[in-house]
Amino acid sequence: MRDRTDDLVRLADLLVGFGANLQPGQIVGVNAYYDMADAARAVARAAYSRGARYVDVFWWDLLVKRARLELADADSLEFVPPWMGERLRWLSNEHAARVFLTGTDSTVFDGIDPSRMGRDLLPYLKEVPEIVNERTTNWTIGPCPNPRWAERVHPELPPDEALDKLWDEIVYVCRLDADDPVEAWRERMRAIVASAERLTERHFDAIHLRGPGTDLTVGLLASHRWLGADFTTVDGLTHYPNLPTEEIFTTPDPERVDGHVSATMPLEVYGSFMSGIRIEFEGGRATKVDAEEGGEALRSIVAKEGADRLGELALVDGEGRIGPLGTVFYETLLDENAASHIALGNAYTFPLEDEADRERANRSPVHVDFMIGSPEVDVDGLTRDGERVPVLRGGAWQI
Amino acid sequence: MRDRTDDLVRLADLLVGFGANLQPGQIVGVNAYYDMADAARAVARAAYSRGARYVDVFWWDLLVKRARLELADADSLEFVPPWMGERLRWLSNEHAARVFLTGTDSTVFDGIDPSRMGRDLLPYLKEVPEIVNERTTNWTIGPCPNPRWAERVHPELPPDEALDKLWDEIVYVCRLDADDPVEAWRERMRAIVASAERLTERHFDAIHLRGPGTDLTVGLLASHRWLGADFTTVDGLTHYPNLPTEEIFTTPDPERVDGHVSATMPLEVYGSFMSGIRIEFEGGRATKVDAEEGGEALRSIVAKEGADRLGELALVDGEGRIGPLGTVFYETLLDENAASHIALGNAYTFPLEDEADRERANRSPVHVDFMIGSPEVDVDGLTRDGERVPVLRGGAWQI
């Protein structure tokens, strides 16, 4: 196992300085899973070095959660301690910076009843999408290599080699191999934002995706814009909610989604593994939800309020660094940036210009991304007068 | 290193079932330092097995705190995130059970400016003594062996042997070696409570301690009672705030403390190591505070509101299991139960029967125990009419 101290310092500084764009004097909320102590400490050091007023780490341990899932009364599983939401409200009121570290091994939940899994979504909190829409905090989510996650991603390798390979991949997809990772990201973001602007200018009425197991039309609202994942807070701070990020996205019309779609990659949702997902939509609503693995957990999530309608449509081109690796990371942050995707559940409202459209955007306590794109999936734009315009072919932009 | 799985299960169950006396349906607040994952998970399993509604673990990492102490602006060091106190208020409002795990290695703070250490008391919160006085939660503090702490306590041994020895000591002082540890504790508590009752019946006006470096008179309030550390909540639940516990204690008159006192053991306070403490009192107030090591940190704590007056006087006899080991655990929970002690700062009010006395009890945001007893320290009771009554000689009760 190679020494990764330098990589950790570079990763932490990229997340704090560029991703979250921490300003001196800000409070910093950090979310870290238990296995991520080294990274959380590196983030704390990076943040205090850049003048953070206080670094507040929220630790989450999957084995304590497993004890609950195994042993607690089923009716108690949806309980959420009030301080967790109050903490997020505090971070929002303080206009804090926020750094989330991801990369877990959900096999720690093997053997747990999926219907119980679906009732306990912690550490996810309903306040997260609320404060994202308020745009009060400058935040980022970044990957954090650790032994358990590495073993999940590369089970064919000895543990040390698995962690080495995962670290190499994270260094690559986070562009930490560049002399100046921040400048490398600025360049990639310029290309992503240019694609988003070209697509916005077309004012498509719908997007049509067609490929193996997929034939789906997603209606768009009249005032929709396509955005790259560079956000701006109400205070005018630019930040990058996902590092790495390769997508452009918009908020669809939750009442005009029709057809069927097959996920092109497995995924993990709130700790449950799901593969071979196939969903049928009619009038915007998911009417049939199947999966080869994890179907019951997925259906128990879709049964939540608003979780049977779409909250996001995102397109990823073939020029990103994640897709070509061919690695399934079992981690939405990375996997969603490998391929075009849709999300069930809560919508961001800021891609919509008109207040009336914003009110039509989907609302839900959950937000579940799943990948439906691949080089084999053709993406077309449909205009209001019925014209069909190629958008992506073999992962390459056509507009 | 011996496998300690069984010891961990027995320790967790003793803390949850006997120490905190968890009732089915209760919420459980757990405090755990980062190195204590196995114990925290064992406590969670014990609690859920006994019907806990939710186990809320508050993790605390000393290395994240170190990053703050090294790098943050000095004026920010007294900042406390509001959610931490709100969480305690919530646990109080819910009449929750609480389990604290202790046992840390404060040498992680070596080299930090003591005046900075004294400004950041986290994870200590001012709400802790408040909710203790409200008697709304049934709680316990228990020791949690871990490698770093073991190395601190037994630096002369190889790490594995140090941990083994610390585990053996914890098993012994927690009476986990008994066939029925709960029954062993009930028996010891009966003896402790009987001593407390005999002392209460004497209605002493003051206690006088005299030994090497110590000649201290501590005034008592008229309605004082001596208590063993079996507490009862407002709901009538008996719980044991300290496991192990060997002390009887009362709340002194904060305005009648005179003389000088020398600590008989080193201690750690809010992460700072202190040894050779010598304090002079006049009219209740600490007028001179010296220490061979850690004096600056101690003085910065004593400078806080109310921290220059006494909040507690506790007597420990020679029959407890901790003192005879001769081990310094660098952990107040254990060390204070090795010897008679006093505490600077906040007082418990419940040992006082009259409301007027309760209002005279000392108030402070801090509470610092330090050990002043040994078999060489004679303890006398002074009656209101000047009689002197031997109380402890060579660690044996005289009353």
Side-chain angles (χ1 to χ4, degrees):
Chain A
M1 177 65 204
R2 280 169 46 202
D3 175 33
R4 296 294 183 168
T5 308
D6 289 350
D7 290 329
L8 205 51
V9 168
R10 285 167 71 85
L11 176 62
D13 201 56
L14 179 72
L15 294 178
V16 170
F18 177 72
N21 191 14
L22 172 67
Q23 303 297 302
Q26 275 194 304
I27 284 168
V28 186
V30 177
N31 272 44
Y33 288 87
Y34 189 82
D35 292 328
M36 301 177 179
D38 288 345
R41 293 161 184 166
V43 165
R45 295 192 73 85
Y48 282 122
S49 298
R50 287 173 175 271
R53 180 148 60 97
Y54 183 75
V55 179
D56 189 65
V57 182
F58 176 93
W59 298 97
W60 187 256
D61 182 56
L62 296 177
L63 290 173
V64 169
K65 174 166 174 163
R66 183 177 171 106
R68 180 191 199 192
L69 290 168
E70 276 184 47
L71 300 167
D73 188 271
D75 290 335
S76 72
L77 292 175
E78 287 170 32
F79 176 77
V80 174
W83 66 265
M84 291 186 187
E86 288 160 11
R87 175 179 173 275
L88 279 177
R89 285 267 140 240
W90 163 64
L91 292 171
S92 175
N93 292 341
E94 290 280 348
H95 290 211
R98 295 188 299 124
V99 176
F100 280 64
L101 300 175
T102 65
T104 61
D105 169 20
S106 73
T107 64
V108 300
F109 295 124
D110 280 357
I112 301 289
D113 176 349
S115 73
R116 289 173 66 92
M117 287 289 297
R119 295 178 78 166
D120 176 4
L121 305 187
L122 285 172
Y124 177 83
L125 297 166
K126 69 173 171 42
E127 287 82 2
V128 171
E130 292 171 11
I131 78 170
V132 166
N133 274 330
E134 289 165 10
R135 299 193 298 123
T136 41
T137 60
N138 37 312
W139 56 280
T140 195
I141 307 179
C144 172
N146 62 78
R148 294 192 64 103
W149 183 30
E151 214 171 319
R152 177 83 173 107
V153 178
H154 298 298
E156 74 287 359
L157 297 176
D160 274 10
E161 288 176 38
L163 185 54
D164 255 341
K165 179 162 181 179
L166 180 60
W167 253 119
D168 285 343
E169 289 172 325
I170 296 305
V171 165
Y172 178 71
V173 301
C174 288
R175 294 172 163 79
L176 295 172
D177 56 339
D179 286 341
D180 183 346
V182 168
E183 186 45 42
W185 275 109
R186 289 197 202 286
E187 189 178 324
R188 174 62 178 154
M189 288 309 298
R190 278 192 289 270
I192 287 171
V193 168
S195 301
E197 285 172 356
R198 286 197 305 275
L199 207 50
T200 298
E201 283 161 15
R202 295 299 186 113
H203 299 293
F204 288 126
D205 181 55
I207 293 290
H208 181 231
L209 300 109
R210 189 168 41 189
T214 289
D215 187 348
L216 186 73
T217 303
V218 179
L220 299 177
L221 293 161
S223 74
H224 79 275
R225 289 179 305 154
W226 291 86
L227 301 171
D230 58 335
F231 284 18
T232 306
T233 68
V234 290
D235 302 313
L237 287 176
T238 298
H239 62 103
Y240 300 88
N242 289 352
L243 276 182
T245 183
E246 307 284 1
E247 66 172 323
I248 68 172
F249 67 96
T250 192
T251 294
D253 184 339
E255 298 186 354
R256 290 196 299 132
V257 181
D258 291 277
H260 63 272
V261 65
S262 296
T264 48
M265 298 172 71
L267 73 151
E268 287 186 2
V269 181
Y270 305 121
S272 295
F273 176 75
M274 300 171 187
S275 70
I277 295 173
R278 191 178 184 285
I279 304 183
E280 292 180 17
F281 288 90
E282 209 179 301
R285 197 176 289 271
T287 53
K288 194 155 184 288
V289 175
D290 289 309
E292 283 163 24
E293 269 188 87
E296 194 180 339
L298 181 57
R299 281 186 291 273
S300 85
I301 290 168
V302 172
K304 291 179 192 289
E305 188 190 348
D308 58 350
R309 292 186 186 273
L310 289 196
E312 183 184 344
L313 170 63
L315 301 177
V316 176
D317 67 21
E319 295 183 16
R321 287 189 166 194
I322 302 172
L325 288 178
T327 300
V328 177
F329 289 98
Y330 302 103
E331 177 54 58
T332 298
L333 169 69
L334 297 165
D335 293 332
E336 76 166 356
N337 280 296
S340 298
H341 56 272
I342 53 180
L344 290 164
N346 204 57
Y348 297 128
T349 54
F350 48 80
L352 304 170
E353 297 266 345
D354 294 349
E355 189 51 37
D357 280 353
R358 291 183 181 200
E359 277 167 25
R360 291 177 63 186
N362 198 36
R363 294 281 186 283
S364 175
V366 298
H367 179 101
V368 179
D369 293 282
F370 61 99
M371 285 56 80
I372 61 170
S374 80
E376 293 178 314
V377 174
D378 290 344
V379 180
D380 289 340
L382 306 178
T383 66
R384 203 160 295 274
D385 51 13
E387 194 195 349
R388 172 178 296 268
V389 180
V391 170
L392 277 174
R393 288 291 181 274
W397 295 111
Q398 305 297 307
I399 57 166
Chain B
M1 176 65 203
R2 281 170 47 204
D3 176 32
R4 297 293 182 167
T5 308
D6 288 350
D7 290 329
L8 205 50
V9 168
R10 285 167 71 85
L11 177 62
D13 202 57
L14 179 72
L15 294 177
V16 170
F18 177 73
N21 190 13
L22 172 67
Q23 303 297 302
Q26 277 195 301
I27 284 169
V28 185
V30 177
N31 273 42
Y33 289 87
Y34 189 82
D35 292 327
M36 302 177 179
D38 289 345
R41 291 161 185 165
V43 165
R45 296 192 72 84
Y48 282 122
S49 298
R50 287 175 175 269
R53 181 148 59 96
Y54 183 75
V55 179
D56 191 64
V57 182
F58 175 94
W59 298 97
W60 187 256
D61 183 56
L62 297 177
L63 290 172
V64 169
K65 174 165 174 163
R66 182 176 172 108
R68 181 191 199 192
L69 289 169
E70 277 183 46
L71 301 166
D73 188 89
D75 289 335
S76 72
L77 291 176
E78 286 170 33
F79 176 77
V80 174
W83 65 267
M84 292 185 186
E86 288 160 10
R87 175 179 174 276
L88 279 177
R89 285 268 141 239
W90 163 65
L91 292 171
S92 175
N93 292 340
E94 289 280 348
H95 290 211
R98 296 188 299 124
V99 176
F100 280 63
L101 300 175
T102 64
T104 61
D105 168 19
S106 73
T107 63
V108 300
F109 295 123
D110 280 358
I112 300 290
D113 176 348
S115 73
R116 289 173 65 91
M117 287 289 298
R119 296 178 77 165
D120 176 5
L121 305 187
L122 285 173
Y124 177 82
L125 298 166
K126 69 173 170 45
E127 286 82 2
V128 170
E130 292 170 13
I131 77 171
V132 165
N133 275 331
E134 289 164 11
R135 299 194 298 123
T136 41
T137 60
N138 38 310
W139 57 279
T140 195
I141 307 179
C144 173
N146 61 77
R148 293 192 65 103
W149 183 29
E151 213 170 321
R152 177 83 174 106
V153 179
H154 298 299
E156 74 287 359
L157 296 176
D160 274 9
E161 288 176 38
L163 186 53
D164 254 341
K165 179 161 183 180
L166 180 60
W167 253 119
D168 285 343
E169 290 171 326
I170 296 305
V171 165
Y172 178 71
V173 300
C174 288
R175 294 171 163 79
L176 295 173
D177 56 339
D179 287 341
D180 183 346
V182 168
E183 187 44 43
W185 275 110
R186 289 196 202 286
E187 190 179 322
R188 173 63 178 153
M189 288 309 298
R190 278 191 290 270
I192 286 172
V193 168
S195 301
E197 284 172 356
R198 285 197 305 275
L199 208 50
T200 297
E201 283 161 15
R202 296 299 187 113
H203 299 293
F204 287 126
D205 181 56
I207 294 290
H208 181 230
L209 301 110
R210 189 169 38 190
T214 289
D215 186 348
L216 187 72
T217 303
V218 179
L220 299 178
L221 293 161
S223 74
H224 79 274
R225 290 179 305 153
W226 291 86
L227 302 171
D230 59 335
F231 284 18
T232 305
T233 68
V234 289
D235 302 312
L237 286 176
T238 298
H239 61 103
Y240 300 88
N242 289 352
L243 276 182
T245 183
E246 307 283 2
E247 65 174 324
I248 68 172
F249 67 96
T250 191
T251 294
D253 183 339
E255 299 186 356
R256 289 197 299 132
V257 182
D258 291 278
H260 62 273
V261 65
S262 295
T264 48
M265 298 174 69
L267 73 153
E268 286 186 3
V269 180
Y270 306 120
S272 295
F273 177 75
M274 299 170 187
S275 70
I277 295 173
R278 190 177 185 285
I279 304 184
E280 292 181 14
F281 287 90
E282 208 179 304
R285 198 177 290 271
T287 52
K288 194 153 184 286
V289 175
D290 289 308
E292 284 163 24
E293 269 188 88
E296 195 178 340
L298 181 57
R299 281 187 290 272
S300 86
I301 291 167
V302 172
K304 292 179 191 288
E305 189 190 346
D308 58 350
R309 292 186 185 274
L310 290 196
E312 183 184 346
L313 170 62
L315 300 177
V316 176
D317 67 21
E319 294 184 17
R321 287 190 166 192
I322 301 172
L325 288 178
T327 300
V328 177
F329 289 99
Y330 302 103
E331 177 55 57
T332 298
L333 169 69
L334 298 165
D335 292 332
E336 76 166 356
N337 280 296
S340 298
H341 57 273
I342 53 180
L344 290 163
N346 204 57
Y348 297 128
T349 54
F350 48 80
L352 304 170
E353 297 265 341
D354 293 348
E355 189 50 38
D357 280 352
R358 291 183 183 202
E359 277 167 25
R360 290 176 63 186
N362 198 35
R363 294 279 186 285
S364 176
V366 299
H367 179 100
V368 179
D369 293 282
F370 62 99
M371 284 57 79
I372 61 171
S374 79
E376 294 179 315
V377 175
D378 290 345
V379 180
D380 290 340
L382 306 179
T383 66
R384 203 161 295 273
D385 51 14
E387 194 194 348
R388 171 177 296 267
V389 181
V391 170
L392 277 174
R393 288 288 182 276
W397 294 111
Q398 307 296 308
I399 56 167

